[in-house]
Amino acid sequence: LTAWLVTIIELGGGILLIVGAATQVVSILIALDMLGAILFVKIRNPFFTENGIISWELEAIFLAAALCLLLSGPGAWSVDDVVIDTRRT
């Protein structure tokens, strides 16, 4: 069940981020996904190491990128921006 949920979040969320739809919601889900990957897989399982060092830096970069998207919001050419502008007029 968890593998399906993570797959849907990462694949569907990635597509939504590319087009700029539901940017902040997807950013929260991806940030939680990366936090879970760091805490439950990378730190608890020492078999995923590179040269004896636990490598969780890539997930931390994705977590930071998701938080940046969460704080900055959608861009000017995103679907979110078009939907919000049409609702205001």
Side-chain angles (χ1 to χ4, degrees), residues 37-58:
I38 291 169
L39 294 177
F40 297 120
V41 177
K42 296 294 183 173
I43 291 179
R44 290 180 57 186
N45 194 354
F47 297 110
F48 293 106
T49 61
E50 292 178 9
N51 298 328
I53 301 170
I54 297 173
S55 63
W56 51 272
E57 292 88 3
L58 182 62

Side-chain angles (χ1 to χ4, degrees), residues 8-66:
I8 291 169
I9 289 172
E10 290 181 359
L11 181 65
I15 292 169
L16 288 173
L17 283 178
I18 289 172
V19 298
T23 303
Q24 293 177 328
V25 173
V26 172
S27 296
I28 291 171
L29 292 175
I30 290 179
L32 291 174
D33 179 27
M34 290 301 114
L35 186 63
I38 291 169
L39 294 177
F40 297 120
V41 177
K42 296 294 183 173
I43 291 179
R44 290 180 57 186
N45 194 354
F47 297 110
F48 293 106
T49 61
E50 292 178 9
N51 298 328
I53 301 170
I54 297 173
S55 63
W56 51 272
E57 292 88 3
L58 182 62
E59 286 80 10
I61 291 171
F62 290 145
L63 174 64

Side-chain angles (χ1 to χ4, degrees), residues 60-83:
I61 291 171
F62 290 145
L63 174 64
L67 291 176
C68 287
L69 283 172
L70 174 67
L71 295 175
S72 66
W77 291 0
S78 66
V79 172
D80 284 343
D81 190 53
V82 172
V83 170

